Amino acid sequence: MPKTSTGETPYSLVYGTDAVIPVEVGEPSLRYFRESGHQNDDSRRQELDEVEERRDMAYVRMVAQKQQAECYYNTRAKIRPLKVGDYVLKAKTQASKYPREGKLGTNWDGPYKIMAATSKGSFTQATMEGKQLPNNWNITHLKYFNF
Protein backbone atom coordinates (compact mmCIF):
# COMPACT_ATOMS: atom_id res chain seq x y z
CA MET A 1 0.00 0.00 0.00
CA PRO A 2 1.29 3.49 -0.73
CA LYS A 3 2.34 5.44 2.34
CA THR A 4 0.53 8.72 2.89
CA SER A 5 3.74 10.59 3.64
CA THR A 6 5.57 9.60 0.44
CA GLY A 7 2.77 8.62 -1.93
CA GLU A 8 4.79 5.55 -2.95
CA THR A 9 5.03 1.97 -1.79
CA PRO A 10 8.21 1.08 0.11
CA TYR A 11 8.91 -1.68 -2.44
CA SER A 12 8.79 0.74 -5.35
CA LEU A 13 11.16 3.17 -3.63
CA VAL A 14 13.71 0.41 -3.04
CA TYR A 15 13.45 -1.60 -6.26
CA GLY A 16 12.07 1.00 -8.64
CA THR A 17 8.92 -0.86 -9.66
CA ASP A 18 5.70 -2.16 -8.17
CA ALA A 19 5.65 -5.71 -6.89
CA VAL A 20 3.99 -8.36 -9.04
CA ILE A 21 1.84 -10.77 -7.07
CA PRO A 22 2.61 -14.44 -7.90
CA VAL A 23 -1.08 -14.96 -8.74
CA GLU A 24 -0.69 -12.49 -11.62
CA VAL A 25 2.08 -14.63 -13.09
CA GLY A 26 -0.05 -17.81 -13.02
CA GLU A 27 -3.33 -16.06 -13.87
CA PRO A 28 -2.25 -13.15 -16.05
CA SER A 29 -3.95 -9.87 -15.32
CA LEU A 30 -4.43 -7.21 -17.97
CA ARG A 31 -1.34 -5.37 -16.73
CA TYR A 32 0.84 -8.49 -16.91
CA PHE A 33 -0.73 -9.83 -20.12
CA ARG A 34 -0.12 -6.67 -22.17
CA GLU A 35 3.62 -6.62 -21.55
CA SER A 36 5.84 -8.36 -24.09
CA GLY A 37 9.49 -9.23 -23.57
CA HIS A 38 10.99 -6.32 -25.53
CA GLN A 39 8.41 -3.83 -24.30
CA ASN A 40 8.92 -5.02 -20.71
CA ASP A 41 12.70 -4.51 -20.96
CA ASP A 42 12.24 -0.97 -22.26
CA SER A 43 9.71 -0.03 -19.60
CA ARG A 44 11.93 -1.57 -16.87
CA ARG A 45 14.94 0.50 -18.03
CA GLN A 46 12.81 3.64 -18.04
CA GLU A 47 11.52 2.88 -14.51
CA LEU A 48 15.08 2.34 -13.29
CA ASP A 49 16.11 5.66 -14.80
CA GLU A 50 13.26 7.39 -12.97
CA VAL A 51 13.86 5.71 -9.59
CA GLU A 52 16.06 8.49 -8.20
CA GLU A 53 13.54 11.13 -9.27
CA ARG A 54 10.69 9.18 -7.62
CA ARG A 55 12.73 8.84 -4.43
CA ASP A 56 13.49 12.56 -4.42
CA MET A 57 9.83 13.43 -4.92
CA ALA A 58 8.82 11.02 -2.15
CA TYR A 59 11.37 12.68 0.15
CA VAL A 60 10.01 16.14 -0.71
CA ARG A 61 6.44 15.00 0.06
CA MET A 62 7.58 13.45 3.35
CA VAL A 63 9.37 16.64 4.44
CA ALA A 64 6.35 18.75 3.46
CA GLN A 65 4.06 16.54 5.54
CA LYS A 66 6.39 16.85 8.55
CA GLN A 67 6.50 20.63 8.18
CA GLN A 68 2.71 20.72 7.98
CA ALA A 69 2.42 18.66 11.18
CA GLU A 70 4.97 20.91 12.93
CA CYS A 71 3.08 24.02 11.82
CA TYR A 72 -0.19 22.52 13.07
CA TYR A 73 1.37 21.77 16.45
CA ASN A 74 3.09 25.15 16.78
CA THR A 75 -0.09 27.11 16.09
CA ARG A 76 -1.74 25.45 19.10
CA ALA A 77 1.26 25.53 21.43
CA LYS A 78 1.12 28.13 24.17
CA ILE A 79 4.20 30.28 24.09
CA ARG A 80 5.35 31.32 27.52
CA PRO A 81 8.39 33.52 27.18
CA LEU A 82 10.83 32.62 29.96
CA LYS A 83 14.38 33.85 29.91
CA VAL A 84 17.54 33.32 31.93
CA GLY A 85 17.24 34.99 35.31
CA ASP A 86 13.45 34.60 35.65
CA TYR A 87 12.01 32.92 38.71
CA VAL A 88 9.63 30.02 38.22
CA LEU A 89 7.61 27.52 40.20
CA LYS A 90 8.00 23.84 39.35
CA ALA A 91 4.97 21.53 39.30
CA LYS A 92 5.01 18.76 41.90
CA THR A 93 4.53 15.27 40.56
CA GLN A 94 2.39 12.74 42.36
CA ALA A 95 5.55 10.90 43.45
CA SER A 96 7.15 14.00 44.97
CA LYS A 97 4.13 15.04 47.05
CA TYR A 98 4.19 14.20 50.74
CA PRO A 99 1.47 11.65 51.56
CA ARG A 100 0.66 13.41 54.86
CA GLU A 101 -0.32 16.63 53.10
CA GLY A 102 -3.25 14.95 51.36
CA LYS A 103 -5.23 16.76 48.70
CA LEU A 104 -4.81 20.16 50.37
CA GLY A 105 -1.02 20.11 49.95
CA THR A 106 0.84 22.44 47.62
CA ASN A 107 0.99 21.66 43.93
CA TRP A 108 4.08 23.77 43.16
CA ASP A 109 7.69 23.80 44.40
CA GLY A 110 9.95 26.75 44.35
CA PRO A 111 10.80 29.41 43.52
CA TYR A 112 13.71 28.42 41.28
CA LYS A 113 15.88 30.61 39.10
CA ILE A 114 16.35 29.75 35.42
CA MET A 115 20.07 29.35 34.76
CA ALA A 116 20.09 28.34 31.07
CA ALA A 117 17.78 27.44 28.21
CA THR A 118 19.06 24.02 27.09
CA SER A 119 16.74 23.40 24.15
CA LYS A 120 13.38 24.48 22.78
CA GLY A 121 11.19 24.80 25.88
CA SER A 122 13.65 23.12 28.28
CA PHE A 123 15.46 24.90 31.11
CA THR A 124 18.18 24.30 33.67
CA GLN A 125 17.25 25.63 37.11
CA ALA A 126 18.91 26.46 40.41
CA THR A 127 17.56 26.96 43.92
CA MET A 128 17.53 30.36 45.60
CA GLU A 129 20.84 29.44 47.27
CA GLY A 130 22.45 28.81 43.85
CA LYS A 131 22.52 24.99 43.88
CA GLN A 132 21.78 23.71 40.38
CA LEU A 133 19.07 21.06 39.95
CA PRO A 134 20.25 17.81 38.36
CA ASN A 135 17.65 17.59 35.56
CA ASN A 136 16.29 19.93 32.93
CA TRP A 137 12.61 20.83 33.13
CA ASN A 138 10.17 21.37 30.30
CA ILE A 139 8.19 24.60 30.14
CA THR A 140 4.91 22.68 30.53
CA HIS A 141 5.90 21.94 34.15
CA LEU A 142 6.95 25.52 34.97
CA LYS A 143 5.00 28.63 35.91
CA TYR A 144 6.30 32.20 36.05
CA PHE A 145 6.74 33.46 39.61
CA ASN A 146 6.34 37.12 40.62
CA PHE A 147 7.97 38.41 43.78
Side-chain angles (χ1 to χ4, degrees), residues 24 32 71 141:
E24 290 182 5
Y32 186 77
C71 181
H141 303 288

Side-chain angles (χ1 to χ4, degrees), residues 11-43:
Y11 188 90
S12 69
L13 289 176
V14 173
Y15 297 108
T17 185
D18 290 327
V20 176
I21 302 171
V23 174
E24 290 182 5
V25 176
E27 289 282 326
S29 67
L30 184 61
R31 180 182 106 186
Y32 186 77
F33 184 71
R34 287 185 16 183
E35 294 293 326
S36 66
H38 179 68
Q39 202 176 25
N40 188 29
D41 292 341
D42 291 341
S43 65

Side-chain angles (χ1 to χ4, degrees), residues 27-137:
E27 289 282 326
S29 67
L30 184 61
R31 180 182 106 186
Y32 186 77
F33 184 71
R34 287 185 16 183
E35 294 293 326
S36 66
H38 179 68
Q39 202 176 25
N40 188 29
D41 292 341
D42 291 341
S43 65
R44 178 71 179 140
R45 278 191 211 97
Q46 183 178 2
E47 285 178 353
L48 288 174
D49 289 341
E50 296 172 355
V51 166
E52 290 300 320
E53 184 178 336
R54 289 174 65 190
R55 287 180 186 154
D56 291 341
M57 292 304 296
Y59 179 75
V60 167
R61 283 192 298 268
M62 185 177 65
V63 169
Q65 184 188 24
K66 286 182 181 180
Q67 287 175 346
Q68 184 181 12
E70 181 182 5
C71 181
Y72 178 81
Y73 172 78
N74 288 339
T75 56
R76 283 157 177 72
K78 292 182 181 178
I79 298 173
R80 288 185 263 171
L82 295 177
K83 51 190 176 296
V84 175
D86 285 347
Y87 290 95
V88 293
L89 296 175
K90 181 178 72 168
K92 279 189 178 180
T93 61
Q94 194 65 28
S96 65
K97 288 186 179 182
Y98 295 112
R100 288 181 175 174
E101 288 182 348
K103 67 180 182 180
L104 298 177
T106 60
N107 293 327
W108 298 92
D109 271 343
Y112 296 101
K113 185 176 183 179
I114 294 179
M115 300 305 291
T118 55
S119 66
K120 195 174 188 179
S122 179
F123 298 97
T124 302
Q125 301 169 13
T127 60
M128 296 297 280
E129 293 81 33
K131 182 182 174 196
Q132 189 168 346
L133 297 179
N135 297 326
N136 298 333
W137 286 83

